[in-house]
Amino acid sequence: RKEVEQDPGPFNVPEGATVAFNCTYSNSASQSFFWYRQDCRKEPKLLMSVYSSGNEDGRFTAQLNRASQYISLLIRDSKLSDSATYLCVVNPSVGSRSASKIIFGSGTRLSIRP
Amino acid sequence: NAGVTQTPKFRVLKTGQSMTLLCAQDMNHEYMYWYRQDPGMGLRLIHYSVGEGTTAKGEVPDGYNVSRLKKQNFLLGLESAAPSQTSVYFCASTQSPHYNEQFFGPGTRLTVL
């Protein structure tokens, strides 16, 4: 089993729809979680951190389910500009050793159609 | 602030040639990383550094060497390029890998013939 797994998609949804992706992780000791967005042929950029209590940033909601070991990203009222690949990132430990343990998922491709 | 910059942006090498990729950051970050990204495989860590003068191996270090002589620069070297090293290389930096985001450079597209 991969340490971090994502459905590669593509998810093809109409503008205005709500879409959600999950990302599962295998290390139950994982401490911090992030969602990054990567546009085609560009570098990844932070979309949002994922907090234990869940967090929302405008149309985006991130949640963490420690019991089932997954994080989720919900996008409401999707826009054409949301078309991108979404990478989940899991950091399994705290401290300097965690520098080498950050794991990126392979990404979920999202395509929003007019 | 320029953030994280990488040079060159594109390069074509022949098998056996050597080259150095340069990463520079102006955010005074302690941690710096080199990743490669291949289709369907996500980002894989090559080498990383937790501070000036330090380097360590990541997940896929073979065929690469690194140096961090100055805090703001992290160099990735390919001593004898192979076609398997054709990839997109991203450099990233962060002040704290646990709490803070990683800032990425724009990438270097390398083709080895």
Side-chain angles (χ1 to χ4, degrees), chain A residues 8-84:
Chain A
F11 285 62
N12 191 328
V13 302
E15 200 173 1
T18 295
V19 61
F21 334 118
N22 285 346
C23 167
T24 59
Y25 60 93
S26 61
N27 187 338
S28 60
S30 296
Q31 295 290 333
S32 57
F33 309 88
F34 306 87
W35 282 104
Y36 280 71
R37 171 194 168 125
Q38 185 173 23
D39 293 304
C40 187
R41 301 178 76 82
K42 298 282 190 179
E43 71 273 24
K45 292 184 179 178
L46 181 70
L47 178 66
M48 58 197 303
S49 302
V50 185
Y51 303 126
S52 297
S53 54
N55 47 301
E56 191 174 304
D57 182 1
R59 298 181 293 108
F60 299 84
T61 300
Q63 299 219 309
L64 167 63
N65 185 316
R66 283 196 183 274
S68 300
Q69 294 181 207
Y70 72 87
I71 62 173
S72 64
L73 178 67
L74 179 80
I75 306 175
R76 290 182 299 278
D77 187 24
S78 53
K79 313 290 184 192
L80 296 175
S81 57
D82 293 334
S83 296

Side-chain angles (χ1 to χ4, degrees), chain A residues 32 36 38 41 43 91 99-100, chain B residues 33 37 97-98 102 105 109:
Chain A
S32 57
Y36 280 71
Q38 185 173 23
R41 301 178 76 82
E43 71 273 24
N91 188 337
S100 68
Chain B
Y33 303 82
Q37 187 174 38
H98 183 63
Q102 290 190 42
R109 296 185 180 280

Side-chain angles (χ1 to χ4, degrees), chain B residues 87-106:
Chain B
S87 189
V88 180
Y89 292 84
F90 288 104
C91 174
S93 73
T94 183
Q95 188 54 31
S96 164
H98 183 63
Y99 297 109
N100 300 108
E101 71 178 284
Q102 290 190 42
F103 292 85
F104 284 82

Side-chain angles (χ1 to χ4, degrees), chain B residues 23-100:
Chain B
C23 175
Q25 52 96 2
D26 61 3
M27 296 172 282
N28 203 35
H29 286 165
E30 292 292 338
Y31 296 82
M32 296 188 73
Y33 303 82
W34 275 108
Y35 295 93
R36 59 179 289 174
Q37 187 174 38
D38 301 294
M41 298 197 69
L43 287 159
R44 291 185 292 168
L45 182 64
I46 304 171
H47 285 280
Y48 67 100
S49 169
V50 301
E52 181 179 311
T54 74
T55 62
K57 294 179 180 179
E59 179 188 355
V60 289
D62 293 342
Y64 306 94
N65 56 74
V66 287
S67 65
R68 183 121 181 248
L69 298 179
K70 292 183 179 180
K71 186 177 185 179
Q72 62 268 34
N73 296 337
F74 195 28
L75 279 62
L76 178 71
L78 285 73
E79 291 183 347
S80 179
S84 60
Q85 293 177 304
T86 293
S87 189
V88 180
Y89 292 84
F90 288 104
C91 174
S93 73
T94 183
Q95 188 54 31
S96 164
H98 183 63
Y99 297 109
N100 300 108

